[in-house]
Amino acid sequence: MLHSWTLTPDEAVALQTELAGRVALAPLGPVRTVAGCDIAYDTFAPILHAAVVVVRLPDLIEVERAVVRADAAFPYVPGLLSFRECPALLSAITTLRTQPDVFMVDGQGIAHPRRFGLACHLGLWLDRPVVGCAKTWLVGDHAEVGPTAGDTTPLTLGGETVGAVVRTADEVRPCFVSPGHLCDVDSAVGLVRRVLSGFRHPVPTRLAHMAANEARRGEAASGYADTT
DNA sequence: GCGACAG
DNA sequence: ATCTTGTCGC
């Protein structure tokens, strides 16, 4: 165990500052498989569905997937997202029979107030490479990014480049890419650019998002059937 | 004090 | 994230 998941928001903040020092940034090695991870929240119950879908490169064909239902024990607090989503993602990842070369999550990596976003936290627990690809800005400065799919512009924070703003498809709002662990900015951006398919979301997280949603809807349907 | 704030 | 159908546009 890296640490306990039972803590207060204040303790979580302190833990992030401590763990940020353990994040390692280095070029990503050869990538044959990428595991997209995402979560769907239940409408009223504090329940969530974590999904992980593994695709192979370069054809982006799905090779395996895992979905798990879990309790949302930690509240959503900007800057502390990993404490809410990591436990469920970890249990889903544990059920995989194959070890992906790299993971990709819906959230920030080091482009974070304390340089410890969801991608970093998951990376430390797994001791595996993780790339963060968030749909909206959290921190950092950047110039306007080009309009064509694949265009990028640096995302800086405190004078250093922590990631990049990436146009993942033509005519769509850009995504914010930053390394989480065991990879660097160039590797993270390079990987994201290799898993695009004309949609705003990269294929791995796009499929995970759909899988998590299907799981959520499926459970809602069974619940109604029970009442009826 | 004021504004910002991943999913 | 989630509540929500159709609709305007390429």
Side-chain angles (χ1 to χ4, degrees):
Chain A
M1 300 295 106
L2 187 61
H3 63 76
S4 166
W5 288 107
T6 301
L7 32 54
T8 66
D10 285 327
E11 299 176 322
V13 170
L15 184 58
Q16 290 185 314
T17 301
E18 177 189 324
L19 297 179
R22 298 200 208 179
V23 171
L25 302 182
L28 197 58
V31 177
R32 302 183 62 181
T33 56
V34 183
C37 310
D38 194 30
I39 282 178
Y41 295 86
D42 186 282
T43 306
F44 296 107
I47 298 297
L48 49 75
H49 299 275
V52 51
V53 178
V54 183
V55 302
R56 69 183 187 194
L57 264 54
D59 52 44
L60 305 182
I61 296 298
E62 178 179 335
V63 298
E64 180 181 11
R65 71 165 57 191
V67 182
V68 67
R69 176 182 184 289
D71 295 311
F74 200 88
Y76 170 69
V77 180
L80 300 179
L81 178 65
S82 66
F83 291 89
R84 183 172 172 72
E85 304 194 336
C86 265
L89 291 178
L90 288 170
S91 58
I93 292 171
T94 300
T95 70
L96 292 177
R97 58 180 182 64
T98 59
Q99 176 71 294
D101 291 317
V102 57
F103 292 81
M104 187 172 285
V105 300
D106 239 305
Q108 315 287 346
I110 60 174
H112 178 281
R114 290 169 291 286
R115 305 290 201 289
F116 199 68
L118 172 61
C120 302
H121 208 157
L122 188 65
L124 280 189
W125 267 88
L126 298 171
D127 189 32
R128 295 290 296 165
V130 181
V131 171
C133 184
K135 299 183 295 300
T136 60
W137 175 95
L138 177 61
V139 294
D141 303 300
H142 65 84
E144 177 67 34
V145 62
T148 307
D151 285 344
T152 74
T153 191
L155 178 64
T156 63
L157 183 61
E160 66 176 304
T161 298
V162 295
V165 181
V166 181
R167 189 73 69 181
T168 49
D170 298 328
E171 311 295 299
V172 302
R173 285 172 295 150
C175 285
F176 297 74
V177 179
S178 61
H181 187 49
L182 302 179
C183 73
D184 54 26
V185 174
D186 291 332
S187 296
V189 175
L191 178 65
V192 169
R193 297 184 62 182
R194 279 194 288 161
V195 295
L196 301 179
S197 64
F199 291 95
R200 189 192 181 211
H201 305 275
V203 173
T205 49
R206 174 182 161 70
L207 294 179
H209 187 281
M210 297 176 82
N213 259 128
E214 290 170 11
R216 177 173 62 71
R217 290 189 175 182
E219 182 172 274
S222 62
Y224 293 134
D226 203 310
T227 302
T228 308

